[in-house]
Amino acid sequence: MTLDERVNTATTATRSADRSWPFWLTLPIYPYNQRRTMRREVVPETIWIFEQVQGIFYVVVPIRMTVVKLATGGLFVYAPVAPTGECLELVNELVALHGDVKYIILPTISGLEHKVFVGPFARKFPQAQVWVTPDQWSFPVNLPLSWLGLPIDRTQILPADSRQTPFGDEFDYAILDTIDLGPGQFAEVAFFHRRSRTLLVTDTIISLPISPPTILELEPYPLLFHARDRASDPIVDTPAHRLTGWQRICLFALYFQPSVLEIRNWGETLHAASTAPARSKRDYFGIYPFDWQTDWHHKFVELQGNGRLFVAPILQTLILNRAPQQTIAWVDRVTQWQFDRIISCHFESPTIATPQAFRSAFAFLEGQSGSVDLPTADTQLLRQIDRQLVRWRIIFAAKCKT
């Protein structure tokens, strides 16, 4: 455990006010109005990551902000997280050493869990310029950027050429041109920090750690909740249960309904809840409609693949396959950079990786065997959603098979 991690875990019981997030109703998901923040140094005196957690029904994963020290002084912030008192204190420790926050980047147009924090974060650093991905949109009404909480007097759209930005001498970036999905759109901007040979991405690429990330271990209840095989099992805190809970959370988060999971009907679920050993509000009143098959673990091993890079199943089946050539063109631009590590906004980071490994993760768009061949049985629900949305003409049909 690093010094940053030890410092951040030392005062657990006394910092609830510093972890308060009063605007949680703008995105009402776990952990609601309390968000812990952990800071880790990735590249000495150059790059730090700030982690919080988020999820639904205790299916929680890290959400991550990256802060880079600029060569000319000051800080560059990629994908802000909730600016709680604790988070701001940790940022301001870096400000005191390295200078003000100069640039704040919103690198996506569709990730509400990233967009919702940019305006509040920017208001805490009134000297910073805000740069956003082109074609920002909102649902159900497409609102101006100022109505989304962004400071209009210092918010600018990222141009196609990174050299036209004030940080272009330190960063290259590549914009994945907007993918039209029907009622919504998807786009992302990958940044390359030349000096540290680090690639920053948002949602397009992930890697799974075998063990739960440290930020989840600080509040382990979600891990223990999902470590149970059924509602009648007690919630017990052991290292083995934490590990089991994390690996099942990964299957939930990425497949929604993996093939090794059986969903009980509501009658069975309510009956089991009435006799469950844990029936408080915290335990969702005993509701746990899941039964895990005994061989579930091999599905995690198959997906995790020794930490290899891959594209999340929902992006493979519902988003990127709508614009395969466009996505591959973006991937080819990214792989021109000679990066040594990747920092993404979710799951494992940093990941030691090469441009070749990044490129291989998108091979599914070209009808080739990718870094992860998604099992048909595990992606059945995603494919059913895909077919139904196309049938209802809510989204466009895929242009390649996955």
Side-chain angles (χ1 to χ4, degrees):
M1 183 176 288
T2 67
L3 176 61
D4 273 336
E5 291 169 349
R6 291 197 297 272
V7 169
N8 292 336
T9 59
T11 56
T12 300
T14 62
R15 308 221 29 197
S16 61
D18 292 339
R19 294 167 183 155
S20 175
W21 176 238
F23 306 114
W24 68 275
L25 283 173
T26 58
L27 187 62
I29 60 176
Y30 183 87
Y32 309 111
N33 65 338
Q34 287 286 308
R35 285 180 169 257
R36 300 187 67 153
T37 306
M38 189 183 75
R39 184 184 70 204
R40 288 192 287 148
E41 188 176 68
V42 174
V43 179
E45 296 297 306
T46 303
I47 297 180
W48 300 263
I49 55 178
F50 290 67
E51 295 177 321
Q52 297 176 355
V53 300
Q54 63 175 24
I56 298 174
F57 203 65
Y58 290 142
V59 179
V60 296
V61 297
I63 180 170
R64 186 173 294 112
M65 168 178 80
T66 304
V67 176
V68 181
K69 174 187 173 182
L70 298 166
T72 54
L75 301 172
F76 171 100
V77 176
Y78 181 92
V81 293
T84 62
E86 181 178 51
C87 176
L88 293 173
E89 179 181 339
L90 293 169
V91 173
N92 283 324
E93 288 177 2
L94 299 182
V95 168
L97 293 172
H98 306 296
D100 289 335
V101 173
K102 288 188 174 182
Y103 310 110
I104 299 170
I105 309 299
L106 172 55
T108 179
I109 67 172
S110 52
L112 183 58
E113 76 274 21
H114 303 291
K115 296 170 71 169
V116 73
F117 301 127
V118 176
F121 192 93
R123 286 194 290 274
K124 299 298 183 180
F125 299 97
Q127 75 289 342
Q129 295 180 21
V130 180
W131 293 82
V132 304
T133 306
D135 297 330
Q136 292 293 323
W137 63 280
S138 58
F139 181 85
V141 178
N142 205 11
L143 299 173
L145 293 179
S146 59
W147 288 29
L148 299 177
L150 298 176
I152 197 63
D153 58 328
R154 52 194 174 96
T155 298
Q156 302 178 64
I157 308 296
L158 287 166
D161 188 347
S162 61
R163 292 173 295 182
Q164 298 176 11
T165 65
F167 43 81
D169 56 344
E170 294 195 49
F171 291 89
D172 291 315
Y173 61 73
I175 302 173
L176 172 56
D177 292 333
T178 301
I179 299 174
D180 191 355
L181 302 173
Q185 298 173 315
F186 180 88
E188 180 173 318
V189 185
F191 273 75
F192 174 58
H193 184 235
R194 300 191 200 99
R195 182 159 48 97
S196 67
R197 298 168 65 95
T198 301
L199 178 69
L200 308 180
V201 296
T202 311
D203 299 316
T204 46
I205 203 80
I206 58 175
S207 173
L208 297 185
I210 291 178
S211 302
T214 303
I215 186 67
L216 269 70
E217 298 256 29
L218 301 182
E219 300 282 355
Y221 197 80
L223 303 174
L224 308 178
F225 183 87
H226 285 293
R228 298 175 296 165
D229 292 324
R230 56 195 61 85
S232 59
D233 292 343
I235 293 177
V236 180
D237 189 359
T238 68
H241 284 174
R242 292 187 180 202
L243 181 65
T244 294
W246 165 246
Q247 295 180 356
R248 289 177 174 177
I249 282 172
C250 290
L251 293 174
F252 263 127
L254 295 174
Y255 286 140
F256 294 3
Q257 186 176 328
S259 60
V260 288
L261 181 73
E262 297 178 6
I263 306 296
R264 292 186 174 190
N265 62 44
W266 273 108
E268 294 173 331
T269 297
L270 294 176
H271 176 73
S274 67
T275 59
R279 298 195 301 272
S280 68
K281 179 180 178 181
R282 186 188 190 194
D283 307 303
Y284 291 102
F285 306 102
I287 293 175
Y288 189 78
F290 314 119
D291 284 308
W292 289 92
Q293 297 177 8
T294 56
D295 61 343
W296 69 269
H297 184 255
H298 84 276
K299 285 295 181 182
F300 174 80
V301 173
E302 179 181 66
L303 184 62
Q304 196 268 342
N306 294 317
R308 58 191 167 185
L309 296 176
F310 67 100
V311 177
I314 190 170
L315 267 69
Q316 290 200 33
T317 58
L318 292 172
I319 297 176
L320 298 184
N321 57 350
R322 267 61 190 174
Q325 294 181 345
Q326 182 176 317
T327 302
I328 288 297
W330 173 76
V331 169
D332 287 341
R333 288 183 60 195
V334 171
T335 53
Q336 291 177 8
W337 305 324
Q338 294 304 306
F339 50 85
D340 298 325
R341 70 177 62 81
I342 299 175
I343 299 176
S344 64
C345 289
H346 303 289
F347 294 101
E348 179 80 320
S349 275
T351 302
I352 304 303
T354 63
Q356 291 74 24
F358 183 88
R359 181 64 173 78
S360 295
F362 294 87
F364 69 94
L365 292 171
E366 299 172 303
Q368 303 174 19
S369 177
S371 62
V372 172
D373 296 319
L374 300 179
T376 301
D378 294 306
T379 57
Q380 182 177 358
L381 178 60
L382 289 171
R383 297 177 194 280
Q384 287 176 350
I385 293 171
D386 177 32
R387 289 192 295 270
Q388 196 62 54
L389 292 176
V390 172
R391 187 177 299 118
W392 289 343
R393 299 185 179 181
I394 294 176
I395 64 174
F396 302 119
K399 296 182 179 179
C400 73
K401 294 183 179 181
T402 55

